Amino acid sequence: MSNKIQTLSGYIHEYQKSVQDPDNFWGRIADSFYWHKKWDRVVDWDFEKPDVKWFVNGKLNITENLLEKHLFLLGDKPAIIWEPNDPKEAVRTITYRELYEMVCQFANAMKAQGVEKGDRVIIYMPMVPEAAVAMLACARIGAVHSVVFAGFSAKSLADRIEDCQAKMVLTSDGNFRGDKKIAVKKVVDEALENTSSVERVIVLKRTGHEVIMKDGRDIWWSDAIEGVSKENKAEVMDAEDMLFILYTSGSTGKPKGVVHTCGGYMVYTTYSFQNVFQYNSGDVYWCTADIGWITGHSYIVYGPLLAGATTLMFEGVPTYPNPGRFWAICDKHQVNQFYTAPTAIRALQVFGAEPLKPYALDSLKVIGSVGEPINEEAWHWYHDHVGKGKCPIVDTWWQTETGGVMVSPIAGVTPTKPSYATLPLPGVQLAILDNDGNELKGNSVEGNLCIKFPWPSILRTTYGDHERCRQTYFSSFKGYYFTGDGVKRDEDGYYRILGRVDDVINVSGHRMGTAEVENAINEHPKVVESAVVGYPHDIKGQGIYAYVICDMEGRSEENLKNEIRETVNKIIGPIAKPDRIQIVSGLPKTRSGKIMRRILRKIATGETSNMGDTSTLLNPDVVEEIIEGAANVS
Ligand code: PRX
């Protein structure tokens, strides 16, 4: 495709064009899509309100660009290859024509069940092709999907249903994950006890779990599509109509619904996919993420399918039935581009090179990383053992809010450097600001990572609360989008992401607000107060360290800790369970009552030799006590 960069000088040239004349640059790229009506203006924006619009008044349906557009040339080519959790179960291969029919049919079925343009639909499903079909069927009829990771608790699911007032939930009876069988529909039932907006639940049969189908509300997927037409006329959408909401954690309050819209998201995910991974026709591309996260949205479903690629979808986990599973799948399907997270790399690294031995891995051309900083050791292991020293690593930095990859090597084009996301993609204008808001120009600088010009897939708002969007992203540094990450630009102008500078932690690539975990811990009746910080963890990147003040009466410390973990499990889900809990008698606070997290972070990290200035603390004695107690924490 003509939008593909192939040389370093080509990258520099494209980058310059994208900055000098963004309208022309993005207008030209958007021209290669099918629009019912072209846009009047390429971009309108104001970061102070914030108000960003791309392809103003353009009309389209994203699924026509993903289905109809490919039918003629790629109709019989695989769109999705599905690898089940159990390697003995049959692989499913879905061609573009079959995908078209499945999406149209399910779109008609959803309509028949009362879903209309603009309605919100929650998808709480395992990694099966029907989950992608569900997303696309929503997009087809103009319903707004909100995928919720199927590992979240009933409470988390209910909060999201409530926040977006979803009309429908799409789910399954159960979910296979490694040697576990999870009763998914049960979680939905529990969530729906405390919400009132959902009128219909469509249930896909997957595991054969026994489920209770509520009369008048629940319907089996197979019954919903029975006899339904496989033709559907796509709803014509405005470029700025909502495509989906995806909930993500921030440093305060409840998770917020990041909103992405149709036109810009389509253009940017396609462009970034084609360039970062250098996908060529006939290649098999595999991203190991879950569709419950933005990576799954943009780089399992939308980006690859818009680009006419074959995207592999894996239902299971990296270590089932053994730690060679990823590599077995790469060989079995002759995967050419492989995209995973540092936490998975580190978890597999623990098993050494042995599990890789039976596999040639010679189809691989590009290997990618996403979700958290990749440490040098993991980078080299990935490079040497998986990429066999010949595959470029694309370390892609981006966020739920950015919709697509922002900083990354272009495979085979940008020279890589271990642990560096390297350079911004065309259209991405980065700025490093110090804490006073001054832009740090030149190389060898470190500070807050901001972006000073919109790109097509920037979030438009946080659902139902635009002020929260303004405050979170556009108020720290006037006129800039603030990412929440710290960054270094080295002497070569290369970017290295240093991690979050706010109260967000990244555990195994899952983003979590410390306040969110604290709120969950505080739900335990014996807990008086808590403070949560991240600490370096060999496999997870960051672990969760909780300092808890509680009433111990009648309980052993161990029982109480287990109960606290179970409370968090119930309120958020297993991914948020604290790794370490320390029972304390007080928390270090300033005279104004603010917890000094800086101190708690240092203790959790074991850096207690220099605690900095503690003179402003209301209770300096507690610091010594916490340091002593930390030695015995598990
Ligand atoms: O801190 C950065 C980290 O993940 C955060 C975004 O999390 P989320 O919205 O869940 O999206 C993850 C997948 C795109 C960022 O603010 N992060 C993501 N990718 C990288 C990264 N940190 C360092 N290097 C990366 N490649």
Side-chain angles (χ1 to χ4, degrees):
M1 187 150 174
S2 59
N3 293 327
K4 215 148 105 187
I5 294 165
Q6 275 152 355
T7 60
L8 192 56
S9 58
Y11 159 72
I12 295 167
H13 182 68
E14 287 296 297
Y15 188 83
Q16 283 167 348
K17 278 202 303 189
S18 78
V19 174
Q20 284 155 7
D21 191 352
D23 282 22
N24 186 38
F25 179 81
W26 288 114
R28 180 178 55 83
I29 291 166
D31 264 335
S32 62
F33 293 85
Y34 171 67
W35 299 81
H36 282 264
K37 177 183 166 292
K38 286 260 165 94
W39 50 92
D40 297 332
R41 280 182 312 285
V42 172
V43 57
D44 269 351
W45 67 288
D46 175 344
F47 270 0
E48 277 177 41
K49 280 183 181 157
D51 182 17
V52 180
K53 291 190 182 74
W54 280 89
F55 310 111
V56 182
N57 293 329
K59 306 284 176 203
L60 76 155
N61 186 291
I62 194 166
T63 70
E64 288 180 326
N65 283 281
L66 191 151
L67 299 169
E68 276 92 333
K69 190 170 167 217
H70 298 321
L71 280 188
F72 183 65
L73 288 177
L74 303 171
D76 299 324
K77 289 257 163 67
I80 299 176
I81 297 176
W82 178 73
E83 169 74 21
N85 178 60
D86 179 352
K88 292 200 240 30
E89 196 183 329
V91 166
R92 286 169 69 189
T93 301
I94 295 166
T95 64
Y96 271 93
R97 187 173 317 282
E98 287 163 344
L99 184 64
Y100 168 80
E101 290 179 353
M102 288 169 84
V103 170
C104 287
Q105 187 178 44
F106 197 64
N108 288 330
M110 280 172 61
K111 267 186 146 172
Q113 297 299 327
V115 178
E116 290 170 13
K117 179 176 176 178
D119 286 343
R120 276 81 54 216
V121 174
I122 293 274
I123 301 176
Y124 188 74
M125 289 180 71
M127 287 288 289
V128 290
E130 283 76 6
V133 168
M135 291 163 76
L136 298 173
C138 287
R140 185 84 180 172
I141 62 175
V144 178
H145 60 72
S146 185
V147 185
V148 177
F149 173 59
F152 274 122
S153 67
K155 168 85 172 68
S156 296
L157 177 60
D159 285 349
R160 286 154 175 77
I161 291 172
E162 199 58 20
D163 188 76
C164 72
Q165 289 292 296
K167 194 171 187 180
M168 179 178 268
V169 176
L170 306 175
T171 189
S172 66
D173 52 353
N175 184 353
F176 292 118
R177 268 184 87 72
D179 54 10
K180 292 198 200 85
K181 251 171 93 174
I182 300 154
V184 177
K185 169 69 163 52
K186 248 194 176 147
V187 183
V188 173
D189 290 340
E190 196 183 326
L192 294 185
E193 276 171 23
N194 302 311
T195 57
S196 53
S197 60
V198 173
E199 293 170 13
R200 282 277 182 285
V201 180
I202 303 187
V203 189
L204 182 80
K205 200 166 264 179
R206 173 68 190 117
T207 54
H209 269 95
E210 215 172 285
V211 299
I212 299 164
M213 297 294 277
K214 189 170 169 191
D215 237 14
R217 186 194 73 185
D218 302 351
I219 170 170
W220 288 107
W221 189 291
S222 52
D223 292 339
I225 59 174
E226 175 78 41
V228 173
S229 163
K230 294 177 178 167
E231 292 290 325
N232 170 279
K233 200 162 170 293
E235 191 74 37
V236 178
M237 307 292 285
D238 189 272
E240 282 301 330
D241 277 340
M242 243 187 272
L243 175 64
F244 66 83
I245 304 168
L246 186 57
Y247 285 86
T248 190
S249 298
S251 46
T252 53
K254 282 189 177 175
K256 47 187 175 284
V258 167
V259 170
H260 285 289
T261 57
C262 297
Y265 182 81
M266 169 179 80
V267 171
Y268 195 80
T269 51
T270 315
Y271 177 78
S272 53
F273 171 76
Q274 287 166 329
N275 278 295
V276 168
F277 296 101
Q278 293 287 302
Y279 182 89
N280 286 317
S281 175
D283 286 349
V284 175
Y285 159 90
W286 179 24
C287 166
T288 70
D290 189 284
I291 49 145
W293 313 115
I294 191 70
T295 310
H297 283 58
S298 302
Y299 299 111
I300 294 178
V301 180
Y302 285 107
L305 294 174
L306 282 159
T310 297
T311 178
L312 193 146
M313 196 173 184
F314 174 43
E315 186 185 33
V317 297
T319 47
Y320 180 81
N322 60 56
R325 186 70 192 276
F326 270 6
W327 324 125
I329 296 174
C330 284
D331 270 13
K332 178 174 173 184
H333 298 286
Q334 291 292 290
V335 170
N336 302 108
Q337 290 88 8
F338 174 71
Y339 190 28
T340 195
T343 189
I345 299 166
R346 288 190 298 263
L348 294 173
Q349 203 182 339
V350 171
F351 297 95
E354 202 58 34
L356 287 129
K357 282 207 175 126
Y359 307 105
L361 298 181
D362 53 355
S363 56
L364 290 176
K365 296 193 284 195
V366 176
I367 54 178
S369 169
V370 60
E372 51 181 311
I374 177 164
N375 49 309
E376 289 198 29
E377 205 194 332
W379 194 98
H380 284 294
W381 190 85
Y382 196 32
H383 183 260
D384 298 346
H385 290 92
V386 180
K388 312 283 183 205
K390 66 177 176 49
C391 300
I393 294 184
V394 288
D395 176 3
T396 63
W397 173 83
W398 58 296
Q399 311 177 293
T400 305
E401 295 85 345
T402 69
V405 173
M406 299 275 99
V407 186
S408 167
I410 291 175
V413 169
T414 317
T416 59
K417 215 186 233 193
S419 300
Y420 279 76
T422 74
L423 298 169
L425 295 195
V428 177
Q429 300 190 28
L430 304 176
I432 302 182
L433 270 61
D434 66 15
N435 288 341
D436 300 323
N438 305 306
E439 186 172 341
L440 304 173
K441 305 262 172 138
N443 290 342
S444 306
V445 290
E446 201 176 301
N448 300 297
L449 178 58
C450 296
I451 308 181
K452 56 183 163 191
F453 192 88
W455 59 99
S457 61
I458 185 174
L459 88 159
R460 302 304 198 261
T461 188
T462 45
Y463 191 76
D465 192 351
H466 194 62
E467 174 54 18
R468 189 165 178 204
C469 172
R470 191 192 69 76
Q471 276 210 349
T472 312
Y473 308 105
F474 298 93
S475 70
S476 306
F477 303 104
K478 206 170 161 211
Y480 293 86
Y481 166 82
F482 175 42
T483 65
D485 279 314
V487 70
K488 165 177 148 181
R489 184 164 53 222
D490 76 356
E491 60 285 1
D492 299 324
Y494 265 35
Y495 291 86
R496 178 177 190 159
I497 309 298
L498 303 172
R500 303 288 304 197
V501 294
D502 53 9
D503 288 326
V504 169
I505 47 181
N506 193 326
V507 182
S508 301
H510 302 318
R511 185 169 150 182
M512 242 167 285
T514 50
E516 203 184 333
V517 183
E518 286 162 10
N519 290 342
I521 293 175
N522 297 349
E523 289 287 315
H524 188 286
K526 293 282 176 189
V527 170
V528 179
E529 196 179 4
S530 65
V532 164
V533 296
Y535 72 97
H537 187 288
D538 283 349
I539 291 174
K540 297 179 172 185
Q542 277 190 301
I544 302 179
Y545 196 121
Y547 299 88
V548 184
I549 306 175
C550 50
D551 165 11
M552 296 286 294
E553 209 189 308
R555 280 174 170 83
S556 74
E557 191 164 319
E558 197 173 319
N559 283 350
L560 192 65
K561 286 181 180 179
N562 288 340
E563 285 177 25
I564 290 174
R565 288 196 174 96
E566 201 31 52
T567 305
V568 176
N569 182 30
K570 220 165 154 40
I571 292 180
I572 305 177
I575 55 178
K577 280 203 255 182
D579 298 276
R580 291 186 179 161
I581 300 178
Q582 182 176 353
I583 310 286
V584 295
S585 69
L587 293 166
K589 287 191 178 168
T590 61
R591 283 175 209 285
S592 59
K594 240 182 112 193
I595 297 171
M596 277 262 234
R597 285 166 191 284
R598 178 176 61 77
I599 290 177
L600 295 177
R601 260 185 236 123
K602 281 200 161 185
I603 299 174
T605 309
E607 286 172 11
T608 49
S609 55
N610 175 15
M611 297 308 286
D613 182 13
T614 54
S615 62
T616 54
L617 286 180
L618 195 62
N619 48 352
D621 297 348
V622 84
V623 176
E624 272 313 308
E625 179 208 304
I626 298 178
I627 293 175
E628 270 172 37
N632 308 315
V633 167
S634 57

